[in-house]
């Protein structure tokens, strides 16, 4: 019975991480809350790496046509200097530029974030901050398309993603808020945000692969981790498709309400 309950806990963790990763309510914050409620102490980073990789697979599936087009046109521009492919080539460069702040700040402050800030009380306050940011941009309608993005815009969005390393600060929320504040249209902000997630998630997965291999608890927890991994793929896929529709209708205020409510409950009761 105990083993079954453990599997159910990890299934719930995987579903929550997967569902909350694409939408602006902070997957890392919800994992901190759930681990506290379930009284789970997950040692090492193997679990977080695997469930985030599951979300990455879902993002790759949904944005596969954009990825194929960008790669194809990027190669065409480099090899043939075709002006028609220049816009997609520049878009790739801006994604690379926006990735840099997260990489630098992540390496510098990883220990502080994982040891000091991964606490429910911190998540409560950062969820309130996420909610406030979403409330600010709830009615914004930008004018910038993919071809209108500049280096400054990419850096601002990149630093916003770096701030989201703190549990409770939503990565998708922070990047979409920043993108819309610099004037991007909603669909451009959403596409830039999730395409930006790809190199960051891939980088974290590749850099942390040895952590999974050397994790002494991995073999014993392989089945629960696998269940959470599969759950995160399915949940992320459907959550992202749903969120794309929500963004199209301009209903971000509901995510702000959710962050306010959960943040207050965590501060008061957990």
């Amino acid at each position: 019975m105990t083993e079954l309950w453990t599997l159910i806990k990890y299934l719930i963790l995987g579903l929550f991480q997967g569902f909350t990763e694409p939408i602006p309510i902070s997957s890392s914050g919800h994992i901190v809350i759930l681990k506290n409620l379930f009284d789970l102490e997950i040692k090492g980073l193997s679990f977080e790496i695997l469930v985030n990789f599951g979300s990455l697979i879902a993002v790759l599936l949904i944005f596969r046509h954009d990825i194929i087009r960008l790669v194809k046109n990027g190669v065409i521009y480099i090899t043939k200097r075709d002006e028609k492919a220049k816009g997609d080539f520049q878009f790739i460069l801006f994604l690379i530029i926006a990735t840099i702040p997260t990489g630098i700040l992540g390496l510098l402050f990883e220990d502080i974030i994982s040891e000091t800030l991964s606490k429910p009380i911190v998540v409560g306050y950062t969820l309130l901050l996420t909610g406030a940011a979403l409330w600010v941009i709830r009615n914004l309608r930008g004018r910038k398309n993919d071809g209108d993005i500049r280096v400054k815009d990419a850096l601002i969005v990149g630093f916003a993603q770096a701030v989201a390393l703190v549990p409770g600060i939503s990565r998708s929320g922070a990047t979409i808020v920043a993108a819309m504040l610099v004037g991007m249209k909603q669909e451009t902000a959403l596409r830039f945000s999730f395409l930006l997630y790809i190199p960051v998630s891939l980088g974290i997965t590749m850099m942390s692969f040895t952590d999974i291999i050397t994790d002494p608890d991995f073999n014993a927890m392989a089945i629960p981790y696998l269940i959470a991994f599969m759950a995160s793929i399915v949940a992320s896929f459907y959550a992202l498709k749903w969120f794309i529709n929500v963004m199209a209708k301009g209903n971000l205020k509901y995510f702000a309400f959710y962050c306010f409510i959960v943040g207050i409950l965590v501060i008061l009761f957990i």
Side-chain angles (χ1 to χ4, degrees), residues 198-211:
I198 294 170
V200 172
S201 183
L202 273 176
I204 292 172
T205 302
M206 292 174 65
M207 290 176 62
S208 305
F209 187 70
T210 53
D211 293 330

Side-chain angles (χ1 to χ4, degrees), residues 12-35 47-48 51-52 55 123 127 130 164-173 197 232 236 258-259:
I12 294 171
L13 283 175
L15 288 172
F16 261 84
Q17 192 283 331
F19 184 77
T20 56
E21 179 61 51
I23 62 179
I25 59 173
S26 179
S27 61
S28 59
H30 281 75
I31 291 299
V32 170
I33 294 168
L34 282 175
K35 285 195 294 187
F47 174 79
E48 293 180 20
V51 291
N52 277 287
S55 294
V123 170
L127 279 173
T130 294
L165 291 169
V166 179
I169 302 291
S170 165
R171 192 213 65 84
S172 63
Y197 175 72
S232 71
S236 289
Y258 176 86
C259 289

